[in-house]
Amino acid sequence: MTTISLAAAKAHLSDVVSRVSKQHERVTVTVHGQPSAVLLSPHDLATLEETIAVLGDRDLMRQLAEAEGDLASDRVETRKELEAAMRSRRDSA
């Protein structure tokens, strides 16, 4: 993550926004040497918000923990088994 002063951000705003947008760089803007704001792309913000939502969903976190346990215990289904299950669901609908 890059840190720049507010004066530098103002002087080079177009370049800073381009780097944030195209390279997904996060830029911290300081005022009097103290962090004051962080610039990040809309996509990165959406990703962070989605992560926060997932982490805040207890049921989903429980399901993820169960899935990790299944993987660790080798309780998995093959691709053919999944395709057969999907075919069966479509046929019964």
Side-chain angles (χ1 to χ4, degrees):
M1 179 161 39
T2 301
T3 301
I4 60 173
S5 69
L6 179 59
K10 287 179 182 179
H12 305 284
L13 186 58
S14 181
D15 179 55
V16 171
V17 169
S18 179
R19 288 184 355 230
V20 167
S21 176
K22 294 177 182 171
Q23 299 170 14
H24 297 274
E25 183 177 343
R26 282 186 240 166
V27 177
T28 300
V29 179
T30 61
V31 176
H32 303 296
Q34 298 298 314
S36 183
V38 176
L39 302 175
L40 67 153
S41 73
H43 176 266
D44 292 345
L45 176 61
T47 299
L48 288 170
E49 289 174 337
E50 182 179 3
T51 299
I52 291 168
V54 168
L55 292 173
D57 186 328
R58 288 185 182 185
D59 186 48
L60 184 53
M61 290 302 295
R62 181 189 52 73
Q63 291 174 21
L64 289 171
E66 287 176 6
E68 287 179 350
D70 288 343
L71 287 171
S73 299
D74 203 29
R75 290 187 304 263
V76 296
E77 295 185 24
T78 66
R79 179 179 178 160
K80 287 184 180 183
E81 291 169 329
L82 291 172
E83 288 172 347
M86 291 170 58
R87 218 176 1 265
S88 175
R89 278 190 177 183
R90 276 194 304 265
D91 293 346
S92 66

